[in-house]
Amino acid sequence: MPAAPSAPVHPPTSSLKRPPAAERVYTHIKEAVLDRRYEGGTLLTEGGLADAVGVSRTPVREALLRLEVEGLIKLYPKKGALVLAVSAQEIKDVVETRLLVEEFAARKAVPASAQLIARLEQLLDEQRQLAEEGDLAEVAVKDRCFHAEIVKNAGNEILSRLYDQLRDRQLRMGVAVMEAHPGRIEANITEHGELLEAIRAGDADVAALVVRRHVGRVRVLVRGEDR
């Protein structure tokens, strides 16, 4: 009887899906900067990062160059990489851009589809749950997703792409605000609820007003001017 054909040998699935070393380093540093485990002013060394991720120094250099282009770090030859703090100008620029995009999007969201309302309700519930768990980084992600969903539904692809470019800065500022002002977490959730209700009610003027007040607070709080 002829022998049965042997089954093909495939490499382990994990090895196929494992990201390249430089991508792993990039992700490690970027996530740590955005959730402020690496705060502004922290000096990162190639050796320290290589040990933390378990790679050689070559992919570390590749990742650092990429992050410098994105404006998150500043490279200093033979010293390392300095995590850049959020500047007053950056705060101003982000807030102004958010206001332009989000006020427009809030108006365009009216009248809202049932799908948009359901998605905003879901994101708001998830934000409440994460706030109870004390996961500030994920609260910031859901906060940003809530606004991004409204922007996406405005139907303007150019504005959506522009808004996506603000993502990293929004997340970093969001965590900074919540760490410095814990009471702001519940206030954000409340204001998101007000925005959802205005959109649900079909009131574009109120929706835009809520956005203006809500986003305008970011500049005040990130600069430490709690009023």
Side-chain angles (χ1 to χ4, degrees), residues 99-117:
L99 285 171
L100 287 170
V101 175
E102 291 186 34
E103 281 193 50
F104 170 83
R107 290 183 180 278
K108 291 282 285 186
V110 175
S113 66
Q115 291 85 353
L116 175 59
I117 296 298

Side-chain angles (χ1 to χ4, degrees), residues 27-139:
T27 300
H28 168 81
I29 300 171
K30 187 165 186 174
E31 289 181 351
V33 170
L34 294 184
D35 65 22
R36 289 169 60 84
R37 281 179 286 128
Y38 293 157
E39 295 189 15
T42 302
L43 184 65
L44 308 174
T45 64
E46 289 184 3
L49 292 169
D51 290 342
V53 185
V55 298
S56 68
R57 294 195 180 198
T58 299
V60 171
R61 295 188 192 105
E62 293 178 23
L64 291 175
L65 287 169
R66 185 175 168 188
L67 289 161
E68 184 176 44
V69 170
E70 294 182 8
L72 293 178
I73 65 169
K74 173 67 176 176
L75 291 176
Y76 290 93
K78 300 180 180 180
K79 292 184 179 180
L82 184 70
V83 178
L84 296 177
V86 179
S87 68
Q89 184 62 48
E90 182 178 3
I91 295 167
K92 178 177 180 292
D93 292 347
V94 169
V95 170
E96 287 180 351
T97 306
R98 283 192 64 186
L99 285 171
L100 287 170
V101 175
E102 291 186 34
E103 281 193 50
F104 170 83
R107 290 183 180 278
K108 291 282 285 186
V110 175
S113 66
Q115 291 85 353
L116 175 59
I117 296 298
R119 178 60 176 152
L120 294 178
E121 289 174 340
Q122 177 189 0
L123 288 168
L124 195 54
D125 287 342
E126 291 173 354
Q127 192 175 357
R128 289 193 185 101
Q129 180 62 40
L130 290 164
E132 290 176 3
E133 296 170 2
D135 191 337
L136 299 188
E138 283 302 311
V139 170

